[in-house]
């Protein structure tokens, strides 16, 4: 795999990196180890991370939690590679920010899980931080503050979602995520997704709702909107962007975006300095 890493911000409190991977390794790759404890926010594409015998699907509705020196392996079952925003902080600072329910603090700080689900506000903060630092519209102090806010939002007791479902049900939900991620613009039917995952439509809807806390259609909408956040800087014609992501019209796209992020796509472009 080929990585491109762009350092967007580095201070004594936080380091923010934009990490882009070509995703050439479709099978599980060689063992890697994180050089520092960090939070990784996928904002484009999808990949699978394995720690021990546990796999998790990494996509824009999740934050992945990396512990320093912890071994893991990665695969890209869906073509296209991925891009993530990595936020690293000293472990002493993370110990102040992270609720006890998500980590251990003795004898040293460590996350006690692989991932957490994040909400639309956290996704918007990822885009705001990345675009602000990349374009230079966010100064150092603002970047540090946004990074701390993002970590609090992603890991806060009230906003982070932890699934208590069985291993088999989580694996089924992960298979459905990979199906949706394989073609975000496609207007999937429930029967098509169920056929791809090998279960009945009724069972799939029940399990996915239990594991993820949202129905399949809303999860697909979140994936499309997260993709829109990533692509806003590349489009002058926002109608074309919405249609390419599977929305039925510009008004449909704009209304869904505003409901999720509090601004229309055009307003968000201006807010983060993309136009």
């Amino acid at each position: 795999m080929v990585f491109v890493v762009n350092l967007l911000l580095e201070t004594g409190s936080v380091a923010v990196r934009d990490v882009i991977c070509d995703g050439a390794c479709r099978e599980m790759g060689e063992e890697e180890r994180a050089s520092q404890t960090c939070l990784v926010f996928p904002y484009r594409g999808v990949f699978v991370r394995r720690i021990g015998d546990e796999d998790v699907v990494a996509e824009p509705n999740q934050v992945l939690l990396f512990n320093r020196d912890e071994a893991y392996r990665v695969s890209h079952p869906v073509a296209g590679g991925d891009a993530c925003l990595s936020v690293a902080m000293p472990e002493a600072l993370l110990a102040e920010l992270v609720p006890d329910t998500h980590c251990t603090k003795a004898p040293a700080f460590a996350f006690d899980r692989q991932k957490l689900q994040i909400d639309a506000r956290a996704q918007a903060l990822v885009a705001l931080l990345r675009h602000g630092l990349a374009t230079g519209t966010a100064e150092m102090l603002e970047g540090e503050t946004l990074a701390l806010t993002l970590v609090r939002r992603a890991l806060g007791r009230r906003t982070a979602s932890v699934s208590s479902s069985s291993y088999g049900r989580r694996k089924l939900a992960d298979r459905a995520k990979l199906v949706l991620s394989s073609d975000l613009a496609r207007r999937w039917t429930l029967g098509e997704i169920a056929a791809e995952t090998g279960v009945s439509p009724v069972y799939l809807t029940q399990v996915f709702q239990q594991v993820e806390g949202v129905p399949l259609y809303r999860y697909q909408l979140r994936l499309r909107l997260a993709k829109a956040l990533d692509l806003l800087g590349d489009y002058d014609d926002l109608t074309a962007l919405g249609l390419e992501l599977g929305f039925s019209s510009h008004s449909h796209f704009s209304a869904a975006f505003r409901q999720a992020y509090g601004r229309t796509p055009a307003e968000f472009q201006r807010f983060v300095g993309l136009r």
Side-chain angles (χ1 to χ4, degrees):
M1 291 184 292
V2 177
F3 290 92
V4 177
V5 181
N6 298 311
L7 180 63
L8 301 180
L9 176 69
E10 187 171 34
T11 71
S13 299
V14 61
V16 179
R17 295 175 173 86
D18 193 8
V19 183
I20 302 170
C21 177
D22 66 356
C25 183
R26 300 296 292 275
E27 303 298 325
M28 200 60 67
E30 297 295 323
E31 184 176 279
E32 304 175 57
R33 291 182 183 272
S35 60
Q36 57 190 146
T37 302
C38 61
L39 294 82
V40 171
F41 297 88
Y43 64 84
R44 183 191 308 153
V46 62
F47 64 93
V48 173
R49 181 179 67 163
R50 176 177 296 170
I51 296 179
D53 58 0
E54 181 184 3
D55 291 350
V56 299
V57 175
E59 40 75 25
N61 286 317
Q62 317 287 334
V63 57
L64 266 66
L65 308 174
F66 283 73
N67 290 316
R68 177 167 47 88
D69 294 331
E70 186 172 49
Y72 65 91
R73 300 169 68 194
V74 169
S75 66
H76 289 82
V78 177
D82 68 88
C84 304
L85 195 73
S86 170
V87 180
M89 295 180 179
E91 291 170 8
L93 187 57
L94 284 171
E96 293 184 50
L97 288 169
V98 180
D100 294 343
T101 52
H102 302 334
C103 68
T104 58
K105 297 181 179 179
F109 177 89
F111 293 113
D112 65 359
R113 63 198 72 235
Q114 281 213 58
K115 67 169 186 175
L116 288 166
Q117 189 180 132
I118 61 173
D119 62 6
R121 185 174 174 184
Q123 288 179 333
L125 283 168
V126 170
L128 182 60
L129 179 61
R130 182 170 67 90
H131 290 308
L133 292 175
T135 60
T137 57
E139 296 183 1
M140 186 177 298
L141 180 59
E142 182 180 358
E144 288 181 301
T145 303
L146 284 173
L148 289 171
T149 302
L150 173 59
V151 171
R152 288 194 189 96
R153 184 74 194 179
L155 300 180
R157 291 182 178 87
R158 291 178 296 174
T159 56
S161 174
V162 181
S163 173
S164 58
S165 302
S166 68
Y167 174 79
R169 291 189 168 211
R170 293 197 302 271
K171 292 292 288 183
L172 173 57
D174 281 349
R175 292 201 299 274
K177 292 179 192 178
L178 291 175
V179 172
L180 292 175
S181 298
S182 68
D183 190 349
L184 286 181
R186 178 171 170 175
R187 296 186 179 182
W188 291 94
T189 67
L190 184 58
E192 289 170 340
I193 302 171
E196 290 285 340
T197 56
V199 298
S200 75
V202 171
Y203 186 70
L204 174 62
T205 56
Q206 291 173 337
V207 169
F208 197 90
Q209 175 80 43
Q210 180 197 35
V211 173
E212 297 299 328
V214 293
L216 269 167
Y217 77 88
R218 188 166 297 278
Y219 202 90
Q220 181 191 43
L221 175 62
R222 288 182 179 179
L223 290 175
R224 286 175 171 173
L225 291 173
K227 182 71 170 178
L229 281 174
D230 174 35
L231 296 177
L232 278 179
D234 300 333
Y235 280 76
D236 293 317
D237 185 351
L238 295 177
T239 298
L241 173 59
L243 293 176
E244 287 182 21
L245 291 174
F247 292 93
S248 59
S249 65
H250 176 70
S251 60
H252 178 207
F253 172 44
S254 185
F257 194 98
R258 184 183 183 90
Q259 184 176 24
Y261 303 126
R263 292 179 172 84
T264 66
E267 290 170 344
F268 200 92
Q269 277 186 328
R270 293 192 294 269
F271 183 68
V272 300
L274 297 175
R275 289 291 181 272

